[in-house]
Amino acid sequence: MSLKRLKDVPGPRSIADQWSLYRRRYQMGYALREISQANGDIARVPIAGAPKVLISHPALIREVVVATSQTFELAGQDLLRRVVPWSLIAIEGQIHDEHRSLMLLALRKILTRRILGTTILRASQALAKLRDGDTIDLYQFSREVALAIAASLLFPAEAGDEIVSGIDHKAFLDLMSQSNAWFLGMPLPFQNICLLGDLRHNMKIMATWRHVRRQWIDAIQKARLLSRSGPDADVLSLLTDGTEIGGRMREEFLEDNLLTILLASYDTTANSLAWALWEASRQPALQSRIADEGSRLSDNPADNLEWTNTANWTEATLQESLRMYPSVWVTSRRTLSDYRLGDYLLPRNTFVYTSQWVTHHDPRWFTEPFSFQPERWRPPEAGGAADGPPGERPQFAFFPFGGGKRFCIGKALFDQEAALLLASFFSRWEATQVEGCHPEPRFGVTMQPDRPMLARIRRRSPPANT
């Protein structure tokens, strides 16, 4: 059987289709899902420039992301290369692998030494500021506490608070929010034309970004004067010294990667935590289950080493949040040569999209995919849902942290941090959604809520036997 050509891949591609997708660019996750559902596991995506296809079957995703990853390179990174040119998310090849190894080793040191104590401390500080009867924005709360934790792990303790207060971190998120998968899929000349459409606004954003970078470099230099070693070492100290991780990270890589991790990691944690809080705030029984698990937490970090292994409902809630609301919701790779994908021969320079949002909302892998059901992550004997045990799903039916050599290096930190924050919150507070508040996903570079996530909180009554 002869291979089909790119022109045979089903899917929309007319000028009208391109215009329709442009108009829906901030709801693009829904649009891509519709394309996948209508055209199958390999479908054309109507964005001008190099041809683009969306793959949505787990086996195809695994093939592209893991098995033949050397055949592809990152695509749509032009914006990132402008703002953080030496970051791991913007570079390829051996230079990426070497610096990723250094960063990964540093984060592992932090995971074993500091994550539990830092998260519990920062969570307690943030929760102590809340008042009974308050109406709070769950997303804003999540952002503030996640940012404080990230700064405390990356920098010496004395510098963390100063960096958070002195750096205009919102500018980075504003810059990212101006972009989206549609924009990054356009050829660079077309991107520049789009930016010219609102030149004054975009010049202001870039000027703010340059100011942030100057602040950032100054902050790193000051933080170095407070560098630590041993159990108290932070990521900056480990990367600057290099003794414990097999080498030092070069200056330009250090600046860009610390900035990326600070802003991207807290954004990812904040998004997932906020959606978990939001969805749980309409399920009192789920809140109670999480609260019961949170009541077992100790102020002594050493006593919590095995806690996450037994906090089953907390973990299930976060898994479901990552499924329904993946912060990184789409990635794209570009073929370096002609490549056979399924029954099709894709020419060199074809963009191949994989979308966590699309695959996570596929009814073949998750029944009622738009229903928030943490029980789907629990075995049947423990109140699990009809989906069956998670181990029965294909590997890449659920991939919120990507896969292959670009698997998110911060996953282990997220698992500990988000679980501790979620359980700490509900062990102290009950939350109820404010009537009429209906946040929806906004699909930018990352997926964020399109409006405040307002909930009213009440202090949780202590268990009757205490």
Side-chain angles (χ1 to χ4, degrees):
M1 178 180 176
S2 60
L3 290 176
K4 300 176 184 179
R5 314 296 293 186
L6 177 69
K7 64 181 179 63
D8 300 316
V9 177
R13 64 192 74 189
S14 68
I15 296 297
D17 293 323
Q18 294 181 30
W19 174 246
S20 176
L21 188 59
Y22 166 74
R23 293 180 63 184
R24 299 180 67 190
R25 61 195 182 278
Y26 291 112
Q27 292 81 44
M28 192 169 169
Y30 292 105
L32 290 183
R33 184 177 184 273
E34 292 166 9
I35 290 173
S36 175
Q37 293 287 302
N39 297 282
D41 291 322
I42 304 178
R44 287 291 292 266
V45 178
I47 299 177
K52 298 166 182 71
V53 298
L54 169 69
I55 59 174
S56 50
H57 193 283
L60 295 174
I61 295 170
R62 184 185 184 282
E63 177 182 342
V64 170
V65 172
V66 180
T68 58
S69 60
Q70 70 278 4
T71 311
F72 299 85
E73 68 175 3
L74 287 178
Q77 300 299 100
D78 299 314
L79 176 64
L80 295 172
R81 291 187 180 114
R82 293 178 191 177
V83 296
V84 281
W86 299 111
S87 170
L88 293 177
I89 59 176
I91 58 177
E92 292 278 1
Q94 183 178 354
I95 196 168
H96 164 273
D97 297 344
E98 291 174 354
H99 286 84
R100 176 186 168 89
S101 177
L102 295 177
M103 186 65 72
L104 185 59
L105 287 172
L107 290 175
R108 284 176 177 170
K109 297 285 185 183
I110 295 300
L111 177 66
T112 57
R113 295 172 178 176
R114 298 184 57 196
I115 183 68
L116 293 174
T118 299
T119 301
I120 290 173
L121 174 62
R122 291 298 190 176
S124 296
Q125 292 172 342
L127 292 169
K129 298 177 183 178
L130 304 180
R131 295 292 178 265
D132 197 20
D134 279 354
T135 296
I136 65 171
D137 179 354
L138 296 173
Y139 179 55
Q140 183 66 28
F141 168 82
S142 299
R143 279 182 57 178
E144 290 175 357
V145 67
L147 178 59
I149 293 170
S152 297
L153 296 174
L154 291 177
F155 302 101
E158 299 89 335
D161 289 336
E162 182 179 349
I163 287 172
V164 170
S165 61
I167 297 294
D168 187 3
H169 57 90
K170 187 176 181 298
F172 183 86
L173 297 181
D174 286 344
L175 181 65
M176 293 295 101
S177 70
Q178 302 307 307
S179 187
N180 50 73
W182 179 90
F183 178 86
L184 294 176
M186 296 287 288
L188 186 58
F190 285 92
Q191 290 184 23
N192 292 331
I193 291 173
C194 292
L195 291 173
L196 286 173
D198 195 353
L199 183 60
R200 179 179 298 179
H201 175 72
N202 287 305
M203 287 181 66
K204 180 180 179 181
I205 289 288
M206 293 308 295
T208 303
W209 177 248
R210 288 192 293 271
H211 176 62
V212 168
R213 279 196 66 87
R214 288 194 296 269
Q215 288 181 311
W216 182 249
I217 293 171
D218 290 343
I220 288 180
Q221 296 304 322
K222 293 178 181 177
R224 277 182 168 155
L225 300 176
L226 302 168
S227 61
R228 303 293 177 83
S229 60
D232 293 329
D234 51 274
V235 173
L236 171 62
S237 300
L238 290 167
L239 293 173
T240 301
D241 178 78
T243 303
E244 291 192 68
I245 58 174
R248 298 178 59 184
M249 182 171 280
R250 283 166 43 187
E251 192 71 22
E252 62 270 26
F253 289 89
L254 183 67
E255 294 169 357
D256 279 1
N257 281 295
L258 284 175
L259 180 57
T260 302
I261 287 182
L262 176 69
L263 297 169
S265 66
Y266 99 80
D267 183 45
T268 301
T269 300
N271 285 336
S272 300
L273 177 64
W275 285 112
L277 290 169
W278 176 255
E279 290 289 349
S281 65
R282 73 173 98 206
Q283 299 188 35
L286 177 60
Q287 292 184 48
S288 295
R289 285 168 165 165
I290 298 172
D292 288 343
E293 295 175 348
S295 67
R296 301 199 303 267
L297 284 169
S298 169
D299 292 334
N300 180 8
D303 295 337
N304 298 319
L305 289 174
E306 297 299 321
W307 177 83
T308 53
N309 295 329
T310 61
N312 298 316
W313 282 103
T314 302
E315 173 67 14
T317 302
L318 289 170
Q319 292 287 90
E320 186 68 346
S321 178
L322 289 167
R323 183 194 69 80
M324 276 193 69
Y325 306 103
S327 184
V328 178
W329 65 275
V330 67
T331 58
S332 60
R333 288 166 171 81
R334 179 165 44 205
T335 56
L336 297 173
S337 59
D338 292 355
Y339 182 77
R340 175 177 177 169
L341 185 65
D343 295 331
Y344 300 95
L345 182 65
L346 304 182
R348 178 181 176 274
N349 200 37
T350 299
F351 282 48
V352 179
Y353 287 165
T354 60
S355 173
Q356 287 89 335
W357 171 269
V358 171
T359 304
H360 290 185
H361 289 80
D362 192 321
R364 290 177 295 180
W365 324 122
F366 300 98
T367 59
E368 300 183 66
F370 286 92
S371 175
F372 191 85
Q373 299 179 22
E375 56 271 19
R376 73 172 83 242
W377 300 98
R378 304 282 287 124
E381 62 272 17
D387 279 355
E392 295 182 2
R393 302 185 191 107
Q395 180 185 6
F396 276 83
F398 178 69
F399 62 115
F401 297 97
K405 71 175 185 178
R406 287 190 172 273
F407 186 81
C408 177
I409 62 176
K411 178 187 181 301
L413 294 179
F414 169 86
D415 289 343
Q416 294 272 8
E417 179 183 333
L420 290 167
L421 288 173
L422 183 65
S424 295
F425 183 93
F426 283 123
S427 68
R428 294 168 173 81
W429 300 98
E430 300 173 353
T432 306
Q433 294 178 3
V434 169
E435 186 176 354
C437 182
H438 302 291
E440 295 289 339
R442 185 179 190 273
F443 297 88
V445 173
T446 58
M447 193 191 72
Q448 302 171 352
D450 65 350
R451 68 199 69 187
M453 309 173 84
L454 301 179
R456 187 167 292 106
I457 59 172
R458 294 288 184 187
R459 193 173 301 280
R460 182 172 295 278
S461 301
N465 60 347
T466 62

